[in-house]
């Protein structure tokens, strides 16, 4: 097959020797003069490849917690500093600069569950749709070799394009625009330079903030060829959320949701994480009510039309207990086995509930089901 010159597009016979040495895709040129003219742009390929190689070497030696005993095989990789290059027109939550969610902290101890009015509900619908759009963009990137930091960069860009603020960014000091939780990570994984590997499962948790309101959702994805046990775990975590959503309607006690989830998960042979729960969401990222995902909990409150909250059960392949990496964010299973999660933001209606973060195609099914 004839090759063309990278510089002028004509037929080419010469090949860049540096590309050949570095095992890069071949670059061809028609003559030395064209090669010299193209060099300022062409050399960027060499530089980018060199940076990629050095990052790998650097990450191989990266041991931020040399004394810590990890529960599984996953290890932290380097990641870039927190993004601060936000356009002035992006509305920002109160914590964006110093990490302190003042309005949320001031509401602590107030157990009253807010009933949204029609105008507030309209904004929640809008922000829920925007959050879904951003998650769908992240979903399109899931494949072997892509890093979670690349996914995070895409999430940041997608938020900026929609004039949204990525709610996790600097929330209580969290350094990234989304959470990416791989394999034994239960939640709050920090996107870093580790490439996704064949057989991984990875959860991407998105929250966006616009017009004074937050919309929150997440999905777990299959990377390449995931074993049967991994697929079963992901399916069970999806199914238990669907069963819980089906029971949301006025008059239901919030504490009853956990029993619905745990009954299904016990039948599948898995366990339910107890340290993290669903939460109210609207102008505040996290607020009343709290919705535990396990049975016999002591959650307070009864569902009423206008209540808005998340359900987000975290399901473990082994034991339910969790522990934290020394970064004080990354929650992992204590036995090193995998964990899976799905989440939606829900609005209680007069007759049931509306899923504000539902997928708009494929009958609303989760992305992992597309290729099953």
């Amino acid at each position: 097959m004839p090759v063309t010159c990278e510089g002028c597009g004509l037929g080419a016979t010469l090949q860049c020797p540096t590309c050949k040495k570095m095992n890069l895709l071949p670059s061809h040129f028609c003559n030395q003069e064209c090669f010299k003219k193209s060099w300022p742009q062409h050399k960027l390929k060499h530089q980018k490849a060199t940076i990629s190689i050095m990052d790998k070497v650097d990450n191989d030696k990266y041991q931020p917690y040399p004394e810590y005993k990890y529960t599984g095989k996953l290890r932290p990789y380097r990641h870039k500093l927190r993004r601060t290059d936000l356009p002035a027109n992006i509305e920002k939550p109160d914590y964006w600069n110093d990490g302190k969610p003042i309005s949320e902290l001031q509401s602590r101890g107030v157990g009253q569950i807010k009933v949204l009015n029609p105008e507030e509900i309209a904004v929640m619908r809008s922000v829920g749709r925007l959050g879904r759009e951003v998650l769908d963009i992240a979903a399109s990137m899931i494949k072997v070799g892509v890093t979670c930091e690349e996914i995070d960069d895409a999430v940041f860009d997608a938020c900026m394009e929609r004039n949204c603020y990525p709610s996790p960014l600097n929330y209580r000091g969290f350094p990234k625009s989304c959470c990416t939780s791989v394999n034994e990570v239960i939640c709050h994984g920090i996107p870093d330079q580790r490439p996704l590997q064949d057989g991984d499962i990875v959860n991407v948790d998105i929250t966006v903030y616009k017009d004074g309101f937050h919309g929150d959702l997440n999905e777990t994805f299959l990377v390449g060829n995931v074993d049967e046990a991994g697929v079963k775990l992901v399916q069970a975590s999806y199914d238990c959320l669907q069963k819980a959503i089906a029971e949301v309607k006025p008059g239901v006690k919030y504490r009853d949701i956990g029993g619905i989830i745990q009954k299904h998960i016990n039948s599948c042979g898995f366990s339910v994480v107890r340290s993290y729960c669903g939460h109210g969401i609207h102008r505040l990222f996290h607020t009343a009510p709290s919705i535990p995902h396990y049975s016999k909990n002591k959650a307070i409150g009864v569902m009423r039309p206008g209540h808005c909250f998340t359900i987000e059960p975290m399901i473990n392949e082994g034991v339910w207990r969790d522990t934290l990496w020394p970064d004080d964010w990354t929650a992992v299973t204590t036995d090193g086995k995998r964990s899976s999660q799905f989440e939606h933001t829900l609005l209680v209606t007069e007759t049931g509930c509306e899923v504000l973060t539902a997928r708009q195609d494929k009958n609303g099914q989760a992305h992992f089901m597309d290729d099953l």
Side-chain angles (χ1 to χ4, degrees):
M1 182 177 178
V3 294
T4 57
C5 176
E6 188 176 290
C8 65
L10 299 177
T13 57
L14 302 179
Q15 183 177 344
C16 172
T18 304
C19 287
K20 194 171 183 179
K21 288 179 183 177
M22 297 179 72
N23 291 319
L24 304 180
L25 290 175
S27 293
H28 298 90
F29 297 89
C30 58
N31 55 46
Q32 287 290 343
E33 187 65 24
C34 211
F35 179 53
K36 289 178 182 178
K37 289 181 179 179
S38 302
W39 178 248
Q41 184 66 28
H42 178 71
K43 70 179 180 180
L44 298 177
K45 290 185 177 181
H46 304 159
Q47 293 172 357
K48 185 175 180 180
T50 301
I51 291 171
S52 178
I53 292 168
M54 292 307 296
D55 280 346
K56 183 181 187 307
V57 172
D58 196 31
N59 277 309
D60 286 345
K61 296 179 180 178
Y62 184 58
Q63 295 182 8
Y65 319 116
E67 304 301 321
Y68 180 71
K69 293 183 179 179
Y70 293 91
T71 63
K73 295 180 180 179
L74 194 71
R75 298 292 183 273
Y77 276 52
R78 292 188 183 277
H79 60 80
K80 293 179 292 189
L81 296 176
R82 174 171 63 90
R83 298 282 295 263
T84 57
D85 52 332
L86 282 84
N89 65 301
I90 300 293
E91 181 185 2
K92 304 169 183 69
D94 60 2
Y95 55 80
W96 82 277
N97 188 41
D98 62 7
K100 298 177 182 178
I102 300 300
S103 56
E104 195 172 295
L105 294 172
Q106 289 174 343
S107 73
R108 285 240 170 142
V110 178
Q112 184 176 3
I113 302 170
K114 181 176 176 61
V115 175
L116 303 187
N117 63 40
E119 292 76 19
E120 292 169 325
I121 288 172
V123 180
M124 282 300 300
R125 285 194 178 109
S126 176
V127 77
R129 285 193 296 270
L130 292 171
R132 166 51 63 179
E133 289 176 12
V134 174
L135 181 64
D136 288 346
I137 288 170
S140 70
M141 298 185 65
I142 304 293
K143 63 180 179 180
V144 175
V146 172
T147 70
C148 288
E149 188 160 68
E150 289 171 332
I151 295 169
D152 184 77
D153 285 341
V155 166
F156 180 90
D157 292 342
C159 287
M160 297 304 102
E161 290 167 2
R162 289 160 177 79
N163 293 321
C164 296
Y165 183 91
S167 301
L169 187 61
N170 208 31
Y171 176 77
R172 298 178 180 269
F174 189 79
K176 292 293 185 176
S177 299
C178 67
C179 300
T180 54
S181 301
V182 179
N183 295 338
E184 68 264 28
V185 179
I186 296 170
C187 60
H188 304 155
I190 298 173
D192 61 21
Q193 295 172 9
R194 176 189 180 274
L196 292 174
Q197 299 175 10
D198 187 53
D200 283 346
I201 64 172
V202 56
N203 178 276
V204 181
D205 196 336
I206 301 292
T207 312
V208 301
Y209 176 79
K210 188 175 182 181
D211 297 329
F213 289 78
H214 300 268
D216 193 2
L217 73 161
N218 74 54
E219 290 192 22
T220 297
F221 302 90
L222 309 176
V223 183
N225 301 294
V226 176
D227 61 38
E228 185 177 343
V231 174
K232 180 183 177 184
L233 172 67
V234 173
Q235 183 72 60
S237 64
Y238 174 75
D239 290 343
C240 74
L241 174 60
Q242 298 309 305
K243 289 180 180 294
I245 290 173
E247 298 302 317
V248 173
K249 58 182 179 292
V252 172
K253 296 176 181 177
Y254 283 105
R255 68 185 183 210
D256 291 342
I257 293 298
I260 296 164
I261 292 167
Q262 181 134 30
K263 180 180 179 181
H264 178 71
I265 292 306
N266 286 352
S267 72
C268 297
F270 300 128
S271 62
V272 182
V273 174
R274 298 188 172 206
S275 301
Y276 304 93
C277 62
H279 53 88
I281 185 170
H282 36 76
R283 292 186 184 276
L284 302 178
F285 193 172
H286 301 90
T287 186
S290 294
I291 302 103
H293 303 118
Y294 55 91
S295 61
K296 298 180 181 178
N297 65 77
K298 298 180 180 180
I300 298 171
V302 177
M303 297 179 191
R304 304 294 184 205
H307 286 186
C308 199
F309 56 88
T310 71
I311 300 179
E312 46 186 299
M314 287 143 271
I315 308 305
N316 290 354
E317 194 172 24
V319 300
W320 62 265
R321 297 184 184 278
D322 60 276
T323 188
L324 277 179
W325 278 5
D327 61 18
D328 289 331
W329 279 110
T330 308
V332 295
T333 59
T334 56
D335 58 7
K337 294 185 178 181
R338 293 171 291 191
S339 186
S340 177
Q341 180 190 19
F342 290 85
E343 174 187 21
H344 276 304
T345 294
L346 309 170
L347 171 72
V348 181
T349 65
E350 294 292 340
T351 58
C353 84
E354 181 180 344
V355 181
L356 300 182
T357 47
R359 188 178 176 187
Q360 298 302 300
D361 60 348
K362 300 292 183 72
N363 294 317
Q365 71 181 22
H367 285 275
F368 85 95
M369 302 174 69
D370 293 354
D371 298 323
L372 293 182

